Amino acid sequence: MSRVPNYNALIRRGIDDQALYRRALVQVREPGLQALLAENLQTLNALIGDLQAQAHAAGRKPARHGTLAGVIRSGLAELVTSMASNRDSAWVQCLARNECVLLNCFERQMAQASDESARVLRVQLSRLHGIHKDMHCLAGTTHG
C-alpha cells in the first residue's frame, strides 16, 4: 500500500545529523576536512528544508527539531571523539555511521511511498548518496 512518507521522521533524523556535523566542524583540525564537512552540512540543510516544504505541502506541520536520542548521540560522539588519539578520524567514523542510518531511513520510506512521494525522496536520496560516498571514502569503509 502506497502512502505519503513520514517526512517528519526523516527531518528529525536529518536535524540530528546536522547537529553532529556542526559539532564535528568545530572540532576537526584538517582544513580540507573542515571544508568537506561544511559542504555536507549545506547539503543536509538543503535536504531538510526541502523535506520541510514537502511536509507542509502534504498538509502536515514540518518538524523543526531533532530527537532526544539525537541529542544524546551527539553528546556521546563529542565525548568519545575528544578522547580519541586522532580526533579527525574519529569524527569521520562517527559521521559515516550516522549517515548510514539516515540513508537507510530514506530507503525504507521510499520503498513504502507513492510514486510521486518516491520521486521526491529520490532527489533527496541522490544528495545523501553524495555524502555517503564522501564519508565512507574518508572512513575507509565500503558498507552502506
Side-chain angles (χ1 to χ4, degrees):
M1 178 163 106
S2 294
R3 63 180 178 84
V4 174
N6 187 350
Y7 291 118
N8 280 335
L10 298 174
I11 293 166
R12 286 184 195 96
R13 183 65 205 204
I15 291 171
D16 289 347
D17 280 12
Q18 263 183 332
L20 277 174
Y21 270 89
R22 284 187 184 117
R23 283 184 184 231
L25 194 53
V26 171
Q27 292 192 14
V28 298
R29 295 182 179 117
E30 204 279 309
L33 180 57
Q34 288 172 342
L36 178 65
L37 296 183
E39 183 179 310
N40 286 352
L41 182 56
Q42 287 178 347
T43 300
L44 278 173
N45 291 341
L47 181 143
I48 291 164
D50 288 351
L51 290 175
Q52 287 169 330
Q54 289 298 321
H56 183 72
R60 297 191 172 116
K61 182 178 179 183
R64 299 281 180 210
H65 303 284
T67 65
L68 178 58
V71 171
I72 293 168
R73 273 192 307 273
S74 186
L76 287 173
E78 186 168 354
L79 178 66
V80 169
T81 57
S82 69
M83 293 186 288
S85 60
N86 183 337
R87 185 180 296 174
D88 288 6
S89 179
W91 271 114
V92 166
Q93 294 290 332
C94 177
L95 291 169
R97 281 189 305 273
N98 280 280
E99 166 274 319
C100 274
V101 174
L102 180 60
L103 186 66
N104 290 334
C105 289
F106 264 81
E107 289 171 344
R108 281 192 306 274
Q109 290 289 332
M110 215 169 98
Q112 300 171 5
S114 68
D115 288 343
E116 179 60 30
S117 295
R119 208 170 9 263
V120 168
L121 290 177
R122 205 169 292 116
V123 171
Q124 306 308 328
L125 194 58
S126 69
R127 289 175 168 171
L128 286 176
H129 279 290
I131 293 173
H132 175 81
K133 183 179 176 185
D134 289 345
M135 296 314 297
H136 286 282
C137 284
L138 286 172
T141 60
T142 56
H143 61 81

